[in-house]
């Protein structure tokens, strides 16, 4: 019996393992779902940050510190930044699970 | 019209890399039982063998672009699984290896009923270090150096266990026809 014969003997398995295959596929589907969540969250975060940046650049050049503070404290700006940060945190947590 | 042709591993791997989960399912169906069996032959408890098989298949899916089709997909996954096993149980595996110095024993003479021993029953008759080293070398295809590095033991120690274990396995697995010659 040669070494390749021995290696071939190791390629035998006693029976089918449908339970194991199902478990793997369940984990693959869960990972796919998490990946989609990450992509969506990153997209939302990107849009939020882009909107905030756009608003900030519109004020550049002729805005006073008080103007910037006024815009930064607007409810829509706080909400935008909040959504962006939440999305970023969610994406990071989900990525860590993958 | 003949029977439908089975897709090759590389065809399935390419499809799986493109996101075809059915193709990956077929690769998992072909390889999961063999990978789990190999881990049990190494000495892993059944639950750990199943967990590591799943981990190895997921790792294989994430790195599927690295599979070139040089050998069967299951062989590639077996290498991944073996490395995961060594990483998880490095300490225990090292103790197993170092606790049983080479003793020069050979397999007991096979009787007629022994001649029908399958690989699992044959491996069960090896010493723990022989079982581990033979499974890693012949089963997962790792080299003496790779096993030695992973377990932090000299490659010569690994080689010695593989040689003695392989000799015993050959005796235990020899077919009556072969032995009669």
């Amino acid at each position: 019996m040669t070494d390749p014969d021995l290696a071939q003997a190791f390629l035998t398995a006693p029976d089918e393992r449908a339970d194991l295959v199902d478990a793997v596929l369940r984990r693959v589907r869960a990972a796919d779902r998490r990946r989609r969540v990450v992509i969506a969250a990153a997209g939302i975060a990107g849009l939020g940050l882009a909107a905030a940046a756009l608003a900030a650049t519109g004020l550049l050049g002729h805005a006073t510190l008080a103007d910037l503070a006024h815009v930064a404290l607007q409810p829509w700006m706080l909400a935008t930044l909040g959504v962006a940060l939440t999305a970023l945190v969610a994406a990071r947590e989900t990525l860590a699970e993958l | 019209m003949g029977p439908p042709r089975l897709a090759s591993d590389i065809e399935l791997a390419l499809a799986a890399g493109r996101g075809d989960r059915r193709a990956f399912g077929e690769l998992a169906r072909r390889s999961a039982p063999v990978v789990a069996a190999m881990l049990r032959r190494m000495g892993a408890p059944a639950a750990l063998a199943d967990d590591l098989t799943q981990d190895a298949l997921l790792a294989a899916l994430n790195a599927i672009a690295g599979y070139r089709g040089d050998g069967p997909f299951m062989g590639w996954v077996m290498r991944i699984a073996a490395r995961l096993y060594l990483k998880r149980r490095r300490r225990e595996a090292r103790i197993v290896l170092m606790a049983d110095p080479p003793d020069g024993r050979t397999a007991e003479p096979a009787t007629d009923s022994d001649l029908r021993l399958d690989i699992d029953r044959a491996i069960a008759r090896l010493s723990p270090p022989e079982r581990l080293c033979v499974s890693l070398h012949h089963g997962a295809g790792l080299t003496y150096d790779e096993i030695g590095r992973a377990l932090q033991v000299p490659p010569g120690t690994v080689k010695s266990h593989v040689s003695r274990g392989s000799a015993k396995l050959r005796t235990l697995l020899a077919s009556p026809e072969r032995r009669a010659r």
Side-chain angles (χ1 to χ4, degrees), chain B residues 20-66:
Chain B
D20 183 342
R21 295 300 180 238
R22 196 178 294 198
F24 179 71
E26 174 59 19
L27 285 172
R29 192 190 64 74
R30 290 181 187 181
S31 50
V34 179
V35 175
M38 182 207 62
L39 288 165
R40 283 198 305 276
R41 287 165 188 153
M42 278 179 196
L48 178 64
D50 285 2
D51 284 350
L52 289 179
T53 301
Q54 292 180 35
D55 291 348
L57 280 163
L58 289 172
L61 178 61
N62 288 331
I64 204 139

Side-chain angles (χ1 to χ4, degrees), chain A residues 1-29 31-32 34-35 98, chain B residues 21 24-25 28-29 32-34 36-37 40-41 50-51 53-55 57-58 61-62 74 78 119 123 134-135 138-139 166 169-170 173 178:
Chain A
M1 181 176 263
T2 62
D3 281 358
D5 291 335
L6 274 184
Q8 188 61 39
F10 275 91
L11 295 181
T12 59
D15 42 27
E16 291 278 316
R17 289 294 309 274
D19 58 325
L20 202 46
V21 177
D22 287 345
V24 172
L25 292 178
R26 268 199 305 277
R27 286 179 63 180
V28 169
R29 280 194 293 270
D32 286 344
R34 284 198 294 271
R35 199 169 284 116
L98 283 178
Chain B
R21 295 300 180 238
F24 179 71
R29 192 190 64 74
V34 179
R40 283 198 305 276
R41 287 165 188 153
D50 285 2
D51 284 350
T53 301
Q54 292 180 35
D55 291 348
L57 280 163
L58 289 172
L61 178 61
N62 288 331
M74 71 172 70
M78 280 162 89
I119 184 81
I123 283 177
V134 167
S135 303
H138 290 302
S166 303
L169 269 187
R170 286 190 182 97
L173 292 171
R178 280 187 182 138

